[in-house]
Amino acid sequence: MENGLVSPTEEGTPQGGPLSPLLSNLLWDERDQELQGRGHRFIRYADDCNMDVGSQRAGERVMRSVTEFLTKKLRLKVNESKSAVARPWERKFLGFSFTIDRRPKRRLAPQTVRRFRERVRELTRRTRGISVIHMAEQLRSYLIGWTGYFGWCETPSVLRDLESWIRRRIRCVIWKQWQRGTTRYAELRSRGVGRGLAAQTAGSAHGPWRLSRSPALSFAFPSSWFERLGLPRLSISRAT
């Protein structure tokens, strides 16, 4: 699409088309064989590749050598802004990174967590004008796909924090939807919150975000309530 108009494609392949990964593997096969012949340890997915070396100096030497091979032999352009020599925990690969431990663990890359939060914020905006049930259905669809991939990280504490954050987001939306103090009091009482705590919370001057983790709202909307709503757990370990 150019200037808002669709025009025929005369070269290249459509993004997301089945031909692209096939051609990519055909092209990169020569490079894979070159790296194997040199005895390098590497992992590649499509055109994204990580190579493991023993030192910074070795990494810089291999970077120069591989870049020369790609540009001169395969006639490809290396994206210098995305290429670097660094420690494993300073880089990301397919949305994951590693912890700084004697036995490194897979963790979510910071960019992955940031994109996750941005998407959840978008799905749980109060100004969308939809019910919590409808909001939960859309959120559930996203979370199932996300956890199917990123749930394999080996740092469950991060997943628990994200899980807790999502619940606060939804409690905050509900609290805003109730609007009036009398409505809030009545809704809390209907969910088993005691008179004193319900009255104190309903009349609180604190904002919705702070109250979203208050004892009253935590009691009214416990973890089991979110499970009945259909939201999947993020913190169930899938690592083997």
Side-chain angles (χ1 to χ4, degrees), residues 186-237:
E187 292 287 355
L188 290 176
R189 289 289 293 133
S190 68
R191 288 165 173 75
V193 180
R195 288 189 179 89
L197 183 58
Q200 179 184 3
T201 307
S204 175
H206 294 306
W209 181 246
R210 179 167 177 177
L211 290 175
S212 63
R213 64 175 181 180
S214 65
L217 286 178
S218 297
F219 182 87
F221 301 104
S223 299
S224 57
W225 184 85
F226 290 95
E227 293 176 1
R228 291 194 299 271
L229 200 60
L231 296 181
R233 297 290 300 271
L234 303 184
S235 55
I236 298 177
S237 176

Coordinates of all heavy atoms in Angstrom, one line a residue, residues 186-237:
A186 N -23.4 -1.3 48.6 CA -24.4 -2.4 48.3 C -23.7 -3.5 47.6 O -24.0 -4.7 48.0 CB -25.6 -1.8 47.5
E187 N -22.9 -3.3 46.6 CA -22.2 -4.3 45.9 C -21.3 -5.1 46.8 O -21.2 -6.3 46.7 CB -21.5 -3.8 44.7 CG -22.4 -3.2 43.6 CD -23.1 -4.3 42.8 OE1 -22.8 -5.5 43.1 OE2 -23.9 -3.9 42.0
L188 N -20.5 -4.4 47.6 CA -19.6 -5.1 48.5 C -20.3 -5.9 49.5 O -19.9 -7.1 49.8 CB -18.7 -4.0 49.3 CG -17.7 -3.3 48.4 CD1 -17.0 -2.2 49.3 CD2 -16.7 -4.3 47.8
R189 N -21.4 -5.4 50.1 CA -22.2 -6.2 51.0 C -22.8 -7.4 50.4 O -22.9 -8.5 51.0 CB -23.4 -5.3 51.6 CG -22.9 -4.2 52.5 CD -22.4 -4.8 53.9 NE -23.5 -5.4 54.6 CZ -23.5 -6.6 55.2 NH1 -22.4 -7.3 55.1 NH2 -24.5 -7.0 55.9
S190 N -23.2 -7.3 49.1 CA -23.8 -8.5 48.4 C -22.8 -9.6 48.2 O -23.1 -10.7 47.9 CB -24.4 -8.0 47.1 OG -23.4 -7.6 46.2
R191 N -21.5 -9.2 48.2 CA -20.4 -10.2 48.0 C -19.8 -10.6 49.3 O -18.7 -11.2 49.3 CB -19.4 -9.6 47.1 CG -19.9 -9.5 45.7 CD -19.0 -8.6 44.8 NE -19.4 -8.6 43.4 CZ -20.4 -8.1 42.9 NH1 -21.2 -7.4 43.7 NH2 -20.7 -8.2 41.6
G192 N -20.5 -10.4 50.5 CA -20.1 -10.9 51.7 C -19.1 -10.0 52.5 O -18.6 -10.5 53.6
V193 N -18.9 -8.8 52.1 CA -18.0 -7.9 52.9 C -18.8 -7.4 54.1 O -19.9 -7.0 53.9 CB -17.5 -6.8 52.0 CG1 -16.6 -5.9 52.8 CG2 -16.7 -7.4 50.8
G194 N -18.2 -7.3 55.2 CA -18.8 -6.9 56.5 C -19.2 -5.4 56.3 O -18.7 -4.6 55.6
R195 N -20.2 -5.0 57.2 CA -20.8 -3.7 57.1 C -19.7 -2.6 57.3 O -19.6 -1.6 56.5 CB -21.9 -3.5 58.2 CG -23.2 -4.2 57.9 CD -24.2 -3.8 58.9 NE -25.5 -4.5 58.6 CZ -25.9 -5.6 59.1 NH1 -25.0 -6.2 60.0 NH2 -27.0 -6.2 58.8
G196 N -18.9 -2.8 58.4 CA -17.9 -1.7 58.7 C -16.9 -1.6 57.6 O -16.6 -0.4 57.1
L197 N -16.3 -2.7 57.1 CA -15.3 -2.7 56.0 C -15.9 -2.1 54.7 O -15.3 -1.4 54.0 CB -14.7 -4.0 55.8 CG -13.6 -4.1 54.8 CD1 -12.4 -3.2 55.2 CD2 -13.1 -5.6 54.7
A198 N -17.1 -2.5 54.4 CA -17.8 -2.1 53.2 C -18.0 -0.6 53.2 O -17.8 0.1 52.2 CB -19.1 -2.8 53.0
A199 N -18.5 -0.1 54.4 CA -18.7 1.4 54.5 C -17.4 2.2 54.5 O -17.4 3.2 53.8 CB -19.4 1.6 55.9
Q200 N -16.4 1.6 55.1 CA -15.1 2.3 55.1 C -14.5 2.4 53.7 O -14.0 3.4 53.3 CB -14.1 1.6 56.0 CG -12.7 2.2 56.1 CD -11.8 1.4 56.9 OE1 -12.1 0.3 57.4 NE2 -10.6 1.9 57.1
T201 N -14.6 1.3 52.9 CA -14.1 1.3 51.6 C -14.9 2.1 50.6 O -14.4 2.9 49.8 CB -14.0 -0.2 51.1 OG1 -13.3 -1.0 52.0 CG2 -13.3 -0.3 49.7
A202 N -16.2 2.0 50.7 CA -17.1 2.8 49.8 C -17.0 4.3 50.0 O -17.1 5.1 49.1 CB -18.6 2.4 50.1
G203 N -16.6 4.7 51.2 CA -16.5 6.1 51.5 C -15.0 6.6 51.5 O -14.8 7.7 51.8
S204 N -14.1 5.7 51.1 CA -12.7 6.1 51.1 C -12.4 7.2 50.0 O -13.0 7.2 48.9 CB -11.9 4.8 50.8 OG -10.5 5.2 50.6
A205 N -11.5 8.0 50.4 CA -11.1 9.1 49.4 C -9.9 8.6 48.5 O -9.5 9.3 47.6 CB -10.6 10.3 50.2
H206 N -9.4 7.4 48.7 CA -8.4 6.9 47.9 C -8.9 6.6 46.5 O -10.1 6.3 46.3 CB -7.8 5.6 48.5 CG -7.1 5.9 49.8 ND1 -6.1 6.8 50.0 CD2 -7.2 5.3 51.1 CE1 -5.6 6.8 51.2 NE2 -6.3 5.9 51.9
G207 N -8.0 6.6 45.6 CA -8.3 6.3 44.2 C -8.6 4.9 43.9 O -8.3 4.0 44.7
P208 N -9.2 4.5 42.7 CA -9.5 3.2 42.4 C -8.3 2.2 42.3 O -8.5 1.1 42.7 CB -10.2 3.3 41.0 CG -10.7 4.7 40.9 CD -9.7 5.5 41.7
W209 N -7.2 2.7 41.8 CA -6.0 1.8 41.7 C -5.5 1.4 43.1 O -5.2 0.2 43.3 CB -4.9 2.5 41.0 CG -3.7 1.6 40.8 CD1 -2.5 1.8 41.3 CD2 -3.6 0.4 40.0 NE1 -1.6 0.8 41.0 CE2 -2.3 -0.1 40.2 CE3 -4.6 -0.3 39.3 CZ2 -1.9 -1.3 39.6 CZ3 -4.1 -1.5 38.7 CH2 -2.8 -2.0 38.8
R210 N -5.5 2.3 44.1 CA -5.1 1.9 45.4 C -6.1 1.0 46.1 O -5.7 0.0 46.7 CB -4.9 3.2 46.3 CG -4.4 2.9 47.7 CD -4.0 4.1 48.4 NE -3.6 3.8 49.8 CZ -3.1 4.7 50.6 NH1 -2.8 5.9 50.2 NH2 -2.8 4.4 51.9
L211 N -7.4 1.3 45.9 CA -8.4 0.4 46.5 C -8.5 -0.9 45.8 O -9.1 -1.9 46.4 CB -9.7 1.1 46.4 CG -9.9 2.4 47.3 CD1 -11.2 3.1 47.1 CD2 -9.8 2.0 48.8
S212 N -8.0 -1.1 44.6 CA -8.1 -2.3 43.9 C -7.4 -3.5 44.6 O -7.7 -4.7 44.3 CB -7.5 -2.2 42.5 OG -6.1 -1.9 42.5
R213 N -6.5 -3.2 45.5 CA -5.9 -4.3 46.3 C -6.2 -4.1 47.8 O -5.5 -4.7 48.7 CB -4.4 -4.2 46.1 CG -3.7 -3.0 46.6 CD -2.2 -3.2 46.5 NE -1.4 -2.0 47.0 CZ -0.1 -1.9 47.0 NH1 0.6 -2.9 46.5 NH2 0.5 -0.8 47.4
S214 N -7.3 -3.4 48.1 CA -7.8 -3.3 49.5 C -8.4 -4.6 50.0 O -8.8 -5.5 49.2 CB -8.9 -2.2 49.6 OG -10.0 -2.6 48.8
P215 N -8.4 -4.8 51.3 CA -9.0 -6.0 51.8 C -10.5 -6.3 51.3 O -10.8 -7.4 51.0 CB -9.0 -5.8 53.3 CG -7.9 -4.9 53.5 CD -7.9 -4.0 52.3
A216 N -11.3 -5.2 51.2 CA -12.7 -5.4 50.8 C -12.7 -5.9 49.4 O -13.5 -6.9 49.1 CB -13.4 -4.1 50.9
L217 N -12.0 -5.3 48.4 CA -12.1 -5.8 47.0 C -11.4 -7.1 46.8 O -11.8 -7.9 46.0 CB -11.5 -4.7 46.1 CG -12.4 -3.5 45.9 CD1 -11.7 -2.4 45.0 CD2 -13.7 -3.8 45.3
S218 N -10.4 -7.4 47.6 CA -9.7 -8.7 47.5 C -10.6 -9.8 48.0 O -10.6 -10.9 47.5 CB -8.4 -8.7 48.3 OG -7.5 -7.7 47.8
F219 N -11.5 -9.5 49.0 CA -12.4 -10.4 49.5 C -13.6 -10.6 48.5 O -14.1 -11.7 48.3 CB -13.0 -10.0 50.9 CG -13.9 -11.0 51.5 CD1 -13.5 -12.0 52.3 CD2 -15.3 -10.9 51.3 CE1 -14.3 -12.9 52.9 CE2 -16.2 -11.8 51.9 CZ -15.7 -12.8 52.6
A220 N -14.1 -9.5 48.0 CA -15.2 -9.5 47.1 C -14.8 -10.2 45.8 O -15.7 -10.9 45.1 CB -15.7 -8.1 46.8
F221 N -13.6 -10.1 45.3 CA -13.1 -10.7 44.1 C -11.8 -11.5 44.3 O -10.8 -11.0 43.9 CB -12.9 -9.6 43.0 CG -14.2 -8.8 42.7 CD1 -14.3 -7.5 43.3 CD2 -15.2 -9.3 42.0 CE1 -15.4 -6.7 43.0 CE2 -16.4 -8.5 41.8 CZ -16.5 -7.2 42.3
P222 N -12.0 -12.6 44.9 CA -10.8 -13.5 45.1 C -10.3 -14.1 43.9 O -10.9 -14.0 42.8 CB -11.3 -14.5 46.2 CG -12.7 -14.6 45.8 CD -13.2 -13.3 45.4
S223 N -9.2 -14.9 44.0 CA -8.7 -15.6 42.8 C -9.7 -16.5 42.2 O -9.8 -16.7 41.0 CB -7.4 -16.4 43.2 OG -6.4 -15.5 43.8
S224 N -10.5 -17.2 43.0 CA -11.5 -18.1 42.5 C -12.5 -17.4 41.6 O -13.1 -18.0 40.7 CB -12.2 -18.8 43.7 OG -12.8 -17.9 44.6
W225 N -12.8 -16.1 41.9 CA -13.8 -15.4 41.1 C -13.2 -15.2 39.7 O -14.0 -15.3 38.7 CB -14.1 -14.0 41.8 CG -15.1 -13.2 41.1 CD1 -16.5 -13.3 41.2 CD2 -14.9 -12.2 40.1 NE1 -17.1 -12.4 40.4 CE2 -16.2 -11.7 39.7 CE3 -13.7 -11.7 39.5 CZ2 -16.3 -10.7 38.7 CZ3 -13.9 -10.7 38.6 CH2 -15.1 -10.2 38.2
F226 N -12.0 -14.9 39.6 CA -11.4 -14.7 38.3 C -11.3 -16.0 37.5 O -11.4 -16.0 36.3 CB -10.0 -14.1 38.4 CG -10.0 -12.7 38.9 CD1 -9.8 -12.4 40.3 CD2 -10.1 -11.6 38.1 CE1 -9.8 -11.1 40.7 CE2 -10.2 -10.3 38.5 CZ -10.0 -10.0 39.9
E227 N -11.1 -17.1 38.2 CA -11.1 -18.4 37.5 C -12.5 -18.7 37.0 O -12.7 -19.2 35.9 CB -10.6 -19.5 38.5 CG -9.2 -19.3 38.9 CD -8.7 -20.4 39.9 OE1 -9.6 -21.2 40.3 OE2 -7.6 -20.3 40.3
R228 N -13.6 -18.4 37.8 CA -14.9 -18.6 37.3 C -15.2 -17.7 36.1 O -16.1 -18.0 35.3 CB -15.9 -18.4 38.5 CG -15.9 -19.4 39.6 CD -17.1 -19.3 40.4 NE -17.2 -18.0 41.1 CZ -16.7 -17.7 42.3 NH1 -15.9 -18.6 42.9 NH2 -16.8 -16.5 42.8
L229 N -14.6 -16.5 36.1 CA -14.8 -15.6 35.0 C -14.1 -16.2 33.7 O -14.4 -15.7 32.6 CB -14.1 -14.3 35.4 CG -14.6 -13.0 34.6 CD1 -16.0 -12.8 34.8 CD2 -13.8 -11.8 35.1
G230 N -13.3 -17.2 33.9 CA -12.7 -17.8 32.7 C -11.3 -17.4 32.4 O -10.7 -17.8 31.4
L231 N -10.7 -16.6 33.3 CA -9.3 -16.1 33.0 C -8.3 -17.2 33.4 O -8.4 -17.7 34.5 CB -9.0 -14.8 33.8 CG -9.9 -13.6 33.4 CD1 -9.5 -12.4 34.2 CD2 -9.7 -13.3 31.9
P232 N -7.4 -17.6 32.5 CA -6.4 -18.6 32.8 C -5.4 -18.2 33.8 O -5.1 -17.0 33.8 CB -5.9 -19.0 31.5 CG -6.0 -17.7 30.7 CD -7.3 -17.1 31.2
R233 N -4.8 -19.1 34.5 CA -3.7 -18.8 35.4 C -2.4 -18.6 34.6 O -2.2 -19.4 33.7 CB -3.5 -19.8 36.5 CG -4.7 -20.0 37.4 CD -4.8 -18.8 38.3 NE -3.6 -18.7 39.2 CZ -3.5 -19.3 40.3 NH1 -4.4 -20.1 40.8 NH2 -2.4 -19.1 41.0
L234 N -1.6 -17.6 34.9 CA -0.3 -17.5 34.2 C 0.8 -18.2 34.9 O 1.8 -18.6 34.3 CB 0.0 -16.0 34.2 CG -1.0 -15.0 33.5 CD1 -0.4 -13.6 33.5 CD2 -1.4 -15.5 32.1
S235 N 0.7 -18.4 36.2 CA 1.8 -18.9 37.0 C 1.9 -20.4 37.2 O 2.6 -20.9 38.0 CB 1.7 -18.2 38.4 OG 0.5 -18.5 39.0
I236 N 1.1 -21.1 36.4 CA 1.2 -22.6 36.5 C 2.4 -23.0 35.7 O 2.5 -22.7 34.5 CB -0.1 -23.2 35.9 CG1 -1.3 -22.9 36.7 CG2 0.1 -24.8 35.9 CD1 -2.6 -23.4 36.2
S237 N 3.4 -23.6 36.4 CA 4.6 -23.9 35.7 C 4.5 -24.9 34.6 O 3.8 -25.9 34.8 CB 5.6 -24.4 36.8 OG 6.8 -24.8 36.1

